[in-house]
Amino acid sequence: MLNAEIASACSGFDTGLGAQRLVGSHVEVSRIRSCVDSPMTLSESSVAGRSRWDDRAVSDARVLAAEAVESHVRAFFEGHSVEVVDYDLRPGRREVVPDLRVLVVGPGPRSDSWAYVTAGCWAAMEKDGHGLEFVMTAHVRDQRFIELMAMIAYYHCGGHQLDLERSMPIGEPWVPGSNCDHLLISLPYLHGPELEHCPVPGGHARILWTLPVTTAEIEFRRRHGHEELEQLFDKAETIPTDPFRASVA
């Protein structure tokens, strides 16, 4: 089974809006009475106003960054279909990667495979204008891969910061029947530096590849290093989008 904490981030959510509708008028009256009974001072009102504007500015910046990533992906994959999936990680998780989007790129002139790209990680984790987004390449379009990208985003932004040559356990096969049960963060060799380097307002995002690998390959990398593992992939002429490929280690 998937790691329970990460899996819960990818499940549906209940906002409780139905209950609010049933007592909406009562809630509104209570809010008004509260304001009358405990009026804000001028200084408190000023602080609250600044806070709302700050929150709005941060939200706008996140949206602009996600739009910049989307524009970059669309430009790189010109001639491909690009679907934008707004992925809500549900209450309790949503604030970790607000406004998360997964861009689903269909086959076309650049590749006959599907690509899945996060848009939202940079805005949640950037430091001094630098941060990451992630791309996964697969053989088909499937909701499974959209959910995996959401898992990666939550894992990265929720306390397990990923970077080049690091790995993430999936907790189950990449797809049913696959030997791959980890994701290795690598350079996007299938697409090159033109996709990797993405300008965003106020900084720069690197789009790194989440390569599905086996437990044995992760153990080999720990003993011998990332470069040695990549050499094994090259020697075996590994097809990275083949979920049923044999392990090279």
Side-chain angles (χ1 to χ4, degrees):
M1 296 295 291
L2 291 173
N3 176 284
E5 181 181 3
I6 299 173
S8 66
C10 299
S11 60
F13 63 94
D14 178 11
T15 62
L17 289 177
Q20 289 185 18
R21 291 193 190 99
L22 291 175
V23 296
S25 59
H26 174 72
V27 169
E28 204 57 45
V29 169
S30 297
R31 286 174 181 162
I32 294 170
R33 286 174 179 165
S34 176
C35 290
V36 172
D37 294 341
S38 304
M40 279 189 179
T41 65
L42 182 59
S43 60
E44 288 173 338
S45 177
S46 178
V47 169
R50 285 199 302 271
S51 177
R52 284 194 296 271
W53 279 109
D54 289 346
D55 290 345
R56 181 175 177 179
V58 169
S59 178
D60 289 347
R62 287 197 303 260
V63 171
L64 287 173
E67 288 176 347
V69 174
E70 180 184 339
S71 295
H72 176 75
V73 169
R74 287 185 183 277
F76 178 82
F77 286 106
E78 186 177 2
H80 296 244
S81 65
V82 179
E83 175 189 359
V84 180
V85 179
D86 292 314
Y87 201 102
D88 194 320
L89 292 172
R90 81 178 193 155
R93 309 291 186 191
R94 184 184 300 139
E95 64 275 10
V96 174
V97 199
D99 307 311
L100 175 63
R101 305 175 186 179
V102 178
L103 311 177
V104 182
V105 183
R110 283 193 177 271
S111 172
D112 59 0
S113 299
W114 290 78
Y116 300 80
V117 187
T118 62
C121 294
W122 180 91
M125 293 290 289
E126 65 90 9
K127 184 175 181 181
D128 298 327
H130 300 284
L132 301 178
E133 298 288 355
F134 302 95
V135 58
M136 177 181 288
T137 308
H139 56 302
V140 294
R141 188 213 183 281
D142 196 284
Q143 182 67 22
R144 162 70 170 169
F145 302 122
I146 296 173
E147 292 175 354
L148 275 173
M149 298 312 290
M151 286 173 58
I152 293 163
Y154 180 72
Y155 187 88
H156 173 64
C157 300
H160 305 274
Q161 188 171 352
L162 295 169
D163 207 340
L164 191 62
E165 300 184 8
R166 294 186 181 177
S167 62
M168 166 186 161
I170 302 174
E172 64 180 21
W174 181 37
V175 300
S178 174
N179 290 322
C180 299
D181 56 4
H182 284 70
L183 297 172
L184 181 61
I185 309 304
S186 182
L187 294 174
Y189 292 117
L190 295 181
H191 306 299
E194 191 178 344
L195 176 66
E196 176 189 353
H197 299 290
C198 172
V200 297
H204 167 265
R206 292 183 76 189
I207 301 178
L208 297 180
W209 188 18
T210 55
L211 172 64
V213 296
T214 67
T215 297
E217 289 163 349
I218 289 293
E219 290 302 322
F220 179 91
R221 180 186 64 87
R222 287 172 180 159
R223 294 194 305 270
H224 303 285
H226 189 88
E227 187 174 343
E228 289 291 327
L229 177 60
E230 288 189 340
Q231 290 178 6
L232 285 186
F233 288 143
D234 291 341
K235 185 177 180 179
E237 297 182 348
T238 299
I239 300 175
T241 56
D242 178 7
F244 308 112
R245 68 173 181 82
S247 179
V248 300

